[in-house]
């Protein structure tokens, strides 16, 4: 397998927008979550979105939970508060989207004029049995070929876990489960 190449990016670059690579991603032979797009309208009064569009997507697919991000980034600081819609309820949706946009604004991330609402995939697992984490699952693809993915095997793991027994976040880069 060829080694992946590192690309430094600017998040204002249009190629970082989800909708710029979504059509190519859907064509690959890799599973992808069901996804819909909801526009964001920005004016002097703030940012607006159609909560009903998100509700309709969830109802149509019989989802009680969903994942939401902007065209550029998911929630940057508090993922569960800003990207996890935990109940099909307009108030919950609005609270989550508001948290997402606030977190992104606080970090200086653009929103790309839209939300990406996706099927919630329950990845509540960790390769270390005493940890409680929700890992980021990513595939690295170049020219239609999957070059790699995370999480990796235990021997090559780099996870950030919420070890609630210790009440702190632990980065385990050894792959052996030791802190």
């Amino acid at each position: 397998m060829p080694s992946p190449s590192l690309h430094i990016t600017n998040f204002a670059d249009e190629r970082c927008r989800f909708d710029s690579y979504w059509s190519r991603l859907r064509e690959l032979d890799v599973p992808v979550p069901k996804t819909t797009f909801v526009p964001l309208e920005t004016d002097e009064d703030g940012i607006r979105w159609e909560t009903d569009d998100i509700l309709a997507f969830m109802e149509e697919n019989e989802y009680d939970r969903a994942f939401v991000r902007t065209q550029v980034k998911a929630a940057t600081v508090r993922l569960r508060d800003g990207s996890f819609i935990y109940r099909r309820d307009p108030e919950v949706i609005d609270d989550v989207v508001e948290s997402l946009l606030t977190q992104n604004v606080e970090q200086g991330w653009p929103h790309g004029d839209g939300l990406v609402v996706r099927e919630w995939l329950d990845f509540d697992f960790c390769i270390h049995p005493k940890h409680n984490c929700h890992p980021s699952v990513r595939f690295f693809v170049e020219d239609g070929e999957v070059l790699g993915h995370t999480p990796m095997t235990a021997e090559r793991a780099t996870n950030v876990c919420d070890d609630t027994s210790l009440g702190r976040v632990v980065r385990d880069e050894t792959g052996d489960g030791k802190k």
Side-chain angles (χ1 to χ4, degrees):
M1 175 186 311
S3 56
S5 51
L6 175 65
H7 298 279
I8 306 300
T9 188
N10 173 347
F11 281 97
D13 185 329
E14 290 294 310
R15 293 174 294 179
C16 291
R17 289 174 52 101
F18 189 88
D19 61 0
S20 76
Y21 57 83
W22 175 241
S23 62
R24 289 175 286 157
L25 181 62
R26 277 192 329 211
E27 293 172 5
L28 296 177
D29 187 25
V30 295
V32 293
K34 287 186 181 177
T35 301
T36 194
F37 297 93
V38 176
L40 290 173
E41 295 180 24
T42 305
D43 61 23
E44 62 277 352
D45 295 327
I47 305 171
R48 289 185 308 283
W49 57 91
E50 288 295 331
T51 306
D52 288 344
D53 290 353
I54 299 170
L55 276 170
F57 172 75
M58 293 177 74
E59 288 170 5
E60 178 180 308
N61 291 289
E62 299 179 2
Y63 297 150
D64 293 323
R65 302 179 295 174
F67 176 82
V68 64
R69 54 167 284 167
T70 68
Q71 285 282 358
V72 179
K73 194 98 175 82
T76 58
V77 180
R78 296 173 311 281
L79 183 67
R80 285 232 178 239
D81 293 341
S83 284
F84 177 46
I85 299 172
Y86 60 90
R87 187 171 61 233
R88 191 181 339 155
D89 175 280
E91 188 174 315
V92 169
I93 291 170
D94 287 342
D95 286 349
V96 171
V97 171
E98 185 175 328
S99 177
L100 166 66
L101 295 172
T102 299
Q103 290 181 54
N104 278 266
V105 165
E106 288 173 353
Q107 298 297 314
W109 297 105
H111 56 64
D113 299 322
L115 297 172
V116 179
V117 185
R118 309 188 84 186
E119 169 184 10
W120 178 261
L121 301 176
D122 193 0
F123 290 127
D124 271 341
F125 69 89
C126 182
I127 58 175
H128 307 293
K130 297 200 184 245
H131 292 193
N132 174 17
C133 70
H134 192 99
S136 173
V137 177
R138 297 171 185 257
F139 284 84
F140 303 93
V141 179
E142 186 172 19
D143 296 327
E145 179 186 351
V146 178
L147 301 176
H149 62 86
T150 64
M152 306 293 279
T153 62
E155 297 80 43
R156 299 181 60 207
T158 301
N159 287 339
V160 177
C161 300
D162 176 14
D163 188 339
T164 55
S165 66
L166 297 174
R168 61 189 170 104
V169 173
V170 177
R171 177 174 290 282
D172 174 17
E173 295 181 6
T174 65
D176 64 6
K178 297 178 183 170
K179 298 170 198 75

